[in-house]
């Protein structure tokens, strides 16, 4: 794993990013350039409506996470505290 940790990559999926989120992403990119990936699923990029549910931007987000060898851990943007080693424990489970 990259940098000796349990993560191979951090994917930021932009849905409704604000200035603070973008600042955090830029900080993470500066620290871990080889680890951070940004995927744009904003309404500005995808539009508001779709003809079928499978074309909806949220459906596309989840179907894009399709590496069968990977363990994906979803972290919402409203989390205020994560116990030390919590992500490692989730991945090991």
């Amino acid at each position: 794993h990259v940098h000796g940790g349990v993560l191979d990559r951090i994917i930021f999926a932009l849905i409704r990013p604000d200035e603070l989120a973008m600042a955090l992403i830029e900080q993470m990119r500066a620290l871990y350039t080889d680890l951070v990936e940004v995927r744009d699923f904003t309404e500005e990029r995808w539009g508001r409506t779709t003809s079928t549910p499978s074309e909806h931007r949220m459906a596309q987000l989840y179907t894009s996470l399709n590496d069968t060898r990977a363990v994906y851990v979803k972290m919402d943007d409203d989390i205020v505290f994560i116990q030390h080693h919590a992500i490692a424990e989730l991945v090991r489970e």
Side-chain angles (χ1 to χ4, degrees), residues 4-22:
V6 297
L7 301 178
D8 292 321
R9 187 170 27 169
I10 299 170
I11 301 171
F12 286 98
L14 304 180
I15 304 297
R16 289 184 304 266
D18 58 24
E19 288 181 28
L20 289 174
M22 295 307 295

Side-chain angles (χ1 to χ4, degrees), residues 41 46 53-65:
F41 291 93
W46 285 79
S54 65
E55 293 176 356
H56 189 276
R57 62 192 170 118
M58 291 300 291
Q60 292 296 313
L61 162 60
Y62 289 112
T63 57
S64 73
L65 304 173

Side-chain angles (χ1 to χ4, degrees), residues 1-89:
H1 299 310
V2 179
H3 303 289
V6 297
L7 301 178
D8 292 321
R9 187 170 27 169
I10 299 170
I11 301 171
F12 286 98
L14 304 180
I15 304 297
R16 289 184 304 266
D18 58 24
E19 288 181 28
L20 289 174
M22 295 307 295
L24 171 64
I25 290 169
E26 289 309 314
Q27 286 177 330
M28 295 293 288
R29 275 183 160 167
L31 290 170
Y32 308 105
T33 55
D34 57 337
L35 189 66
V36 174
E37 178 182 341
V38 178
R39 297 184 185 182
D40 187 351
F41 291 93
T42 59
E43 189 174 291
E44 291 78 17
R45 181 170 183 268
W46 285 79
R48 184 165 267 251
T49 60
T50 62
S51 57
T52 62
S54 65
E55 293 176 356
H56 189 276
R57 62 192 170 118
M58 291 300 291
Q60 292 296 313
L61 162 60
Y62 289 112
T63 57
S64 73
L65 304 173
N66 58 6
D67 182 345
T68 58
R69 298 165 294 148
V71 174
Y72 295 97
V73 178
K74 182 180 183 290
M75 307 289 289
D76 285 338
D77 62 348
D78 59 351
I79 293 175
V80 295
F81 175 78
I82 299 171
Q83 180 68 33
H84 192 62
H85 298 296
I87 295 173
E89 291 301 316

